[in-house]
Amino acid sequence: MAAPLSRSMFGSLNTCYRCSSKPNKGLKFVRNIYFQTANYQRETFETPSSTKDAEKETHFGFQSVAEEEKEHKVYEVFENVASSYDVMNDAMSAGIHRLWKDAFVEKFSPSPGTKLLDVAGGTGDIAFRFLKYVGTPTFGHPGDDFQMPRDVTAQVYLDPAEASSSSSSSSSDEENGHKSEQAKDGNYATQPDTMGNHVTVCDINQAMLDVGKKRAKALGYTTGLSWVRGNAECLPLPDSSFDAYTIAFGIRNCTHVQEVLNDAYRLLKPGGRFMCLEFSEVKNPLLRSAYDTYSFQVIPVMGQLIAGDWKSYQYLVESIRQFPNQEDFAAMIKSAGFRMVTFQNLTFGVAAIHSGYKI
Amino acid sequence: MLRRLNYCQLLRFRAQNLDLDLHTLKRKWGSSYRALSSQTAALGEEDLGREQTIQQYDQLYPGHISTTAFQKTLLAVGSGIACMINPARDDMICALGETTGPIALRYMHRKMLADPEGRQILEEKPVINTDTVDVDYLGTLPEGTFGKEYWYFLEENHFSPDARRPVNFIDDPDLVYVMLRYRQCHDLTHTLLGMPPNMLGEVAVKWFEAIQTGLPMCITAALFGPLRLGPKHRQKYRNVYLQWAVRSALKSKFLLNVYFEKHWATDITELRNQLNLEPAPVQLKKSGKNTKTK
């Protein structure tokens, strides 16, 4: 068994509270890049020893790659696109992605006091719409250099009751390691606002989170917002701690979609709602062929012209085709344990909102 | 393209490829996959997958991105507009050059084949980057040599010979090297002409290159670049540099036929005489930001 002390040096990026007994092998690349491993001997970690694991292949767009490699390749794609992500979204969808996200939050209709977990929400589109919907106040003139509020701590968000008790009780090595790692990246956590609303934004890619933090500062959101870097398949957050889980245009980039859904089930409180906004299948054949032509002929060219990156945008349009359609994805959500699973098409099926409840 | 199989051949194909999963099938059969997919669907068998185009990378040469004619047109128009808005975007200049260049590149290729030194360059395919050219050695050369002048050019403007982008959108493997050589010789042309990389210097070099190579990208840059010049530069351009650039381009040897790597230690005035290159009548001094910075 790997020494517990050594595992904690990497924080909880590779082990969540639930699956602390099995470090996620796919995160090997992220670990190597982000953690100083000078003092640590890698041999004590569980590395993919079985050849069967090493041979397992998955899709990266239309290419075939090893499962372990996919996460790193997706990471690189988003690191390259992070700075021009919002501009490209506007260009590719002619601004329609804003309407989709508005419809998503409208369908979600959060009530005051909701604790939301927004996964793969790096640049914060859903998080800011949520805060606007529930009426979280903004402070100062947006864009000013404001002082960080007093209640900023380098902690993962906890309920107010737990927060007071955790400071007195001794926290485990893992939690400390995790907190310090998040703090090192500048990922702060704040307390919920006066109504009790709070959103935790998670993303595997620090570059995307940095863009989101910059936008939060420009918009003036200082309470009710936390940033966490982590892998959606195994987030470093406690069980049953959120009222709602949203993931917008992120789940198709995950290596194991079913594991993300299982983790969502774990993180939600009983009665919690899972919502997913994702590209899906256009049923109408005429529209589908027009959409395909636009996707494959125009979008990579746009990526080259605006962002200077053809391959990332070719990957993005291919990954849409590789993702299961509305019905198949609904079945996957059901098999994770969610009930009352429904979906609603947007723009003839170009995007779809899936919703399920943990009851 | 895969020929249409009759039913027995199709069944045999399916039986042979039973162990292949969808992705390997796509990879193996490439663009023929679509024909096969629709054929099996027509026969009432399960569809091999949705009809999609498959992007191929590095098909003809490393860095090659295969594009359709429609994509090339879009890229040409888009990169032209992007260049006008922001001339510092070198990737857009490269994209414009590659998508509009094939005819001119064939002309340049013919010119290179007609000259013995050009033929040698095409055979040996020398590449100018920090691996093949020792920049420090260039710095040790005596004053007034071509290599030393090039070194000054790199040092003053903080350039590196590695900064030249690879070729992506050209579909003819013969022309890929010609385009690459043109791109790498751009800085050397700057040095020979004595033009700094500010807007006026770039326009002068582009006029020179437009006349010598005939590349549409150079022609558009030469015609539309002056619109961005300030009043002082515009005066100089109209009075001195335009005429000079056109004159020297018509008189001098085709610069892509010059094996520059052999002339580092040659005195620059002597080299200009050999190439019949008239130096600039008025020295152009660089001041302020150059166009290479983004």
Side-chain angles (χ1 to χ4, degrees):
Chain A
M1 180 184 114
L5 183 64
S6 46
R7 204 181 293 128
S8 75
M9 283 169 70
F10 292 86
S12 308
L13 186 61
N14 60 319
T15 61
C16 63
Y17 295 110
R18 189 186 189 212
C19 35
S20 48
S21 58
K22 44 175 180 78
N24 191 327
K25 293 163 190 173
L27 283 163
K28 191 168 72 155
F29 290 103
V30 182
R31 254 200 330 267
N32 293 346
I33 293 163
Y34 281 92
F35 295 102
Q36 301 304 317
T37 58
N39 299 329
Y40 180 76
Q41 283 145 19
R42 266 174 223 154
E43 300 86 73
T44 57
F45 249 94
E46 281 176 42
T47 47
S49 47
S50 65
T51 47
K52 195 165 172 236
D53 268 334
E55 277 170 9
K56 257 177 105 180
E57 288 209 326
T58 181
H59 52 80
F60 178 74
F62 290 160
Q63 295 171 42
S64 212
V65 297
E67 269 190 0
E68 287 201 343
E69 224 188 305
K70 172 164 178 175
E71 196 181 297
H72 182 59
K73 286 179 91 92
V74 171
Y75 190 93
E76 279 180 342
V77 164
F78 282 94
E79 198 166 21
N80 293 338
V81 306
S83 52
S84 54
Y85 188 72
D86 296 316
V87 172
M88 275 303 296
N89 281 346
D90 276 330
M92 290 190 290
S93 64
I96 296 175
H97 75 105
R98 296 170 189 240
L99 301 176
W100 289 335
K101 287 167 183 162
D102 289 341
F104 182 67
V105 176
E106 287 293 319
K107 179 149 192 209
F108 177 30
S109 300
S111 47
T114 302
K115 312 285 182 286
L116 173 66
L117 173 63
D118 182 28
V119 179
T123 54
D125 274 335
I126 300 296
F128 300 140
R129 280 176 170 80
F130 165 78
L131 290 173
K132 189 168 171 204
Y133 191 98
V134 295
T136 303
T138 57
F139 290 96
H141 300 287
D144 279 358
D145 211 350
F146 60 87
Q147 292 287 337
M148 286 301 278
R150 280 169 288 138
D151 55 341
V152 170
T153 53
Q155 283 178 28
V156 172
Y157 164 69
L158 299 166
D159 266 341
E162 286 174 69
S164 45
S165 59
S166 76
S167 50
S168 48
S169 68
S170 54
S171 18
S172 67
D173 269 340
E174 258 182 39
E175 259 187 59
N176 274 335
H178 159 75
K179 284 176 208 166
S180 57
E181 284 306 332
Q182 297 289 346
K184 252 185 239 168
D185 294 317
N187 292 339
Y188 58 84
T190 60
Q191 296 299 323
D193 71 0
T194 43
M195 291 296 294
N197 307 307
H198 187 275
V199 57
T200 305
V201 183
C202 291
D203 203 292
I204 199 172
N205 195 305
Q206 188 58 43
M208 296 287 278
L209 286 175
D210 291 339
V211 174
K213 280 184 276 181
K214 226 184 289 173
R215 286 179 65 192
K217 191 169 166 185
L219 290 167
Y221 285 117
T222 58
T223 53
L225 194 55
S226 293
W227 307 88
V228 174
R229 181 162 55 88
N231 187 339
E233 294 173 20
C234 197
L235 282 168
L237 297 163
D239 293 7
S240 302
S241 44
F242 296 97
D243 297 318
Y245 179 112
T246 57
I247 182 165
F249 300 122
I251 200 164
R252 74 179 187 282
N253 299 307
C254 300
T255 317
H256 303 107
V257 176
Q258 193 61 55
E259 288 200 23
V260 175
L261 297 171
N262 296 340
D263 205 49
Y265 194 84
R266 171 184 75 84
L267 289 161
L268 281 170
K269 290 181 190 163
R273 188 174 191 184
F274 168 85
M275 289 203 63
C276 173
L277 173 64
E278 191 51 80
F279 289 110
S280 206
E281 191 188 25
V282 177
K283 300 294 183 191
N284 183 314
L286 244 124
L287 287 173
R288 185 170 63 235
S289 96
Y291 175 52
D292 280 350
T293 309
Y294 174 73
S295 292
F296 286 97
Q297 299 299 316
V298 179
I299 287 182
V301 176
M302 246 194 251
Q304 181 68 34
L305 292 174
I306 300 173
D309 193 349
W310 178 287
K311 295 189 179 181
S312 295
Y313 289 92
Q314 182 71 32
Y315 159 74
L316 287 175
V317 298
E318 288 178 355
S319 65
I320 294 173
R321 297 328 182 270
Q322 294 289 45
F323 191 69
N325 64 12
Q326 289 89 328
E327 293 84 8
D328 293 344
F329 186 51
M332 289 175 79
I333 297 174
K334 251 189 220 131
S335 70
F338 292 101
R339 298 173 67 183
M340 284 168 56
V341 178
T342 56
F343 64 82
Q344 178 195 344
N345 278 342
L346 299 172
T347 322
F348 306 108
V350 173
I353 301 175
H354 282 77
S355 162
Y357 290 88
K358 177 176 173 174
I359 30 174
Chain B
M1 272 300 277
L2 195 68
R3 60 189 166 85
R4 277 196 77 81
L5 305 172
N6 64 40
Y7 191 63
C8 297
Q9 288 169 329
L10 193 66
L11 283 182
R12 210 176 305 135
F13 168 82
R14 292 300 298 271
Q16 283 166 1
N17 295 311
L18 258 178
D19 55 339
L20 290 180
D21 66 327
L22 195 64
H23 305 290
T24 326
L25 208 59
K26 280 180 182 166
R27 216 166 9 136
K28 194 176 172 195
W29 290 95
S31 53
S32 317
Y33 168 79
R34 219 181 349 161
L36 203 60
S37 171
S38 51
Q39 198 176 346
T40 51
L43 286 167
E45 308 245 344
E46 60 159 308
D47 196 357
L48 286 177
R50 286 187 252 168
E51 287 194 9
Q52 297 126 9
T53 53
I54 297 156
Q55 177 60 274
Q56 309 271 10
Y57 295 131
D58 302 343
Q59 222 179 357
L60 298 169
Y61 50 88
H64 178 231
I65 297 175
S66 56
T67 44
T68 61
F70 176 73
Q71 284 175 323
K72 284 202 181 70
T73 320
L74 210 58
L75 205 51
V77 172
S79 56
I81 297 169
C83 287
M84 278 304 295
I85 296 172
N86 184 3
R89 276 200 69 182
D90 58 337
D91 58 335
M92 288 293 97
I93 297 174
C94 292
L96 181 62
E98 286 168 24
T99 47
T100 56
I103 298 173
L105 285 171
R106 258 174 246 134
Y107 164 69
M108 287 154 71
H109 192 228
R110 274 200 310 273
K111 268 173 87 166
M112 287 177 85
L113 285 172
D115 182 86
E117 207 175 344
R119 261 201 309 274
Q120 194 187 14
I121 295 172
L122 283 176
E123 262 167 60
E124 293 176 22
K125 291 195 166 65
V127 173
I128 298 175
N129 53 38
T130 41
D131 291 329
T132 54
V133 172
D134 190 359
V135 183
D136 298 322
Y137 159 70
L138 294 180
T140 61
L141 288 169
E143 291 293 319
T145 50
F146 174 59
K148 187 72 184 217
E149 291 295 316
Y150 180 52
W151 185 83
Y152 275 134
F153 181 80
L154 293 176
E155 284 293 302
E156 279 168 20
N157 302 304
H158 308 290
F159 289 163
S160 158
D162 287 334
R164 294 292 128 193
R165 287 180 173 265
V167 179
N168 295 126
F169 301 115
I170 292 181
D171 293 332
D172 189 342
D174 293 331
L175 304 179
V176 173
Y177 180 72
V178 180
M179 188 76 208
L180 195 67
R181 182 77 186 163
Y182 157 75
R183 220 171 262 172
Q184 293 181 338
C185 290
H186 180 75
D187 280 349
L188 298 167
T189 314
H190 265 282
T191 315
L192 271 179
L193 293 175
M195 288 286 110
N198 57 15
M199 198 67 207
L200 182 55
E202 288 289 348
V203 168
V205 174
K206 277 287 179 278
W207 266 110
F208 187 94
E209 285 176 344
I211 290 169
Q212 287 216 327
T213 63
L215 280 168
M217 176 263 289
C218 298
I219 295 171
T220 36
L223 291 174
F224 293 106
L227 296 172
R228 293 187 67 100
L229 289 174
K232 268 195 221 165
H233 275 180
R234 202 176 293 165
Q235 210 180 28
K236 283 189 196 170
Y237 165 74
R238 226 183 303 148
N239 295 340
V240 181
Y241 291 102
L242 175 57
Q243 305 159 25
W244 162 71
V246 173
R247 224 172 31 230
S248 54
L250 291 169
K251 283 198 310 190
S252 86
K253 182 180 177 183
F254 185 44
L255 285 191
L256 256 69
N257 282 339
V258 179
Y259 208 132
F260 287 111
E261 289 88 331
K262 294 187 178 165
H263 294 291
W264 295 130
T266 324
D267 183 57
I268 197 164
T269 346
E270 202 189 300
L271 186 60
R272 283 178 182 148
N273 285 338
Q274 280 178 17
L275 300 174
N276 205 17
L277 231 174
E278 180 194 329
V282 182
Q283 269 282 351
L284 189 59
K285 281 273 179 290
K286 182 186 90 113
S287 57
K289 233 167 83 144
N290 61 33
T291 51
K292 292 275 160 62
T293 53
K294 288 197 187 167

